């Protein structure tokens, strides 16, 4: 998928999405809900008040501009950051961690 702002998302086989929201003028940032499977994204720098958000059953990743990979299944979400920084927030308790380039984090109950 290609977004007007230059964001590119490659969706893996057997991946299921729930919703895809596109930024509207003056509205929140782009948002994509991943039920299960994997995706890779290249996201250009986003306005601070309008980050790209990837939502999974276990958490959400706020992207300000980066290259990343997200995998989700019924038990956990794994975020790998290739470039930049992404904030991963666990859904169950809203605890968050900033994941930088070359690192990964897992959100699970």
């Amino acid at each position: 998928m290609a977004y007007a702002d230059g964001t590119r998302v490659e969706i893996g086989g057997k991946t299921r999405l729930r919703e895809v929201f596109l930024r509207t003028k003056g509205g929140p940032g782009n948002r994509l809900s991943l039920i299960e499977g994997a995706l890779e994204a290249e996201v250009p720098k986003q306005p601070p008040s309008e980050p790209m958000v990837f939502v999974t059953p276990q958490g959400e990743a706020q992207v300000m501009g980066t290259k990343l990979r997200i995998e989700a299944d019924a038990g956990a979400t794994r975020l790998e950051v290739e470039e930049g920084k992404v904030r991963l927030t666990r859904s169950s308790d809203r605890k968050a961690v900033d994941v930088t380039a070359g690192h990964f984090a897992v959100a699970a109950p």
Side-chain angles (χ1 to χ4, degrees), residues 8-103:
R8 294 183 323 163
V9 178
E10 185 176 319
I11 300 167
K14 296 186 180 182
T15 295
R16 295 187 317 148
L17 303 176
R18 180 182 317 254
E19 302 165 325
V20 177
F21 292 101
L22 302 177
R23 176 182 297 125
T24 57
K25 188 172 183 178
N30 296 322
R31 188 175 187 91
L32 189 149
S33 294
L34 173 68
I35 297 171
E36 68 179 345
L39 62 82
E40 293 185 19
E42 187 171 339
V43 182
K45 189 160 179 64
Q46 302 289 295
S49 62
E50 302 172 3
M52 174 81 185
V53 178
F54 294 96
V55 179
T56 70
Q58 296 81 21
E60 68 179 39
Q62 281 193 355
V63 181
M64 302 309 290
T66 190
K67 285 186 179 179
L68 60 89
R69 177 177 173 79
I70 297 177
E71 293 182 37
D73 60 28
T77 295
R78 179 184 169 100
L79 166 70
E80 298 175 34
V81 179
E82 185 178 327
E83 291 180 11
K85 179 171 72 171
V86 178
R87 173 161 287 179
L88 180 63
T89 304
R90 187 169 45 201
S91 297
S92 61
D93 59 8
R94 305 304 297 161
K95 288 191 178 181
V97 62
D98 289 340
V99 185
T100 57
H103 294 90

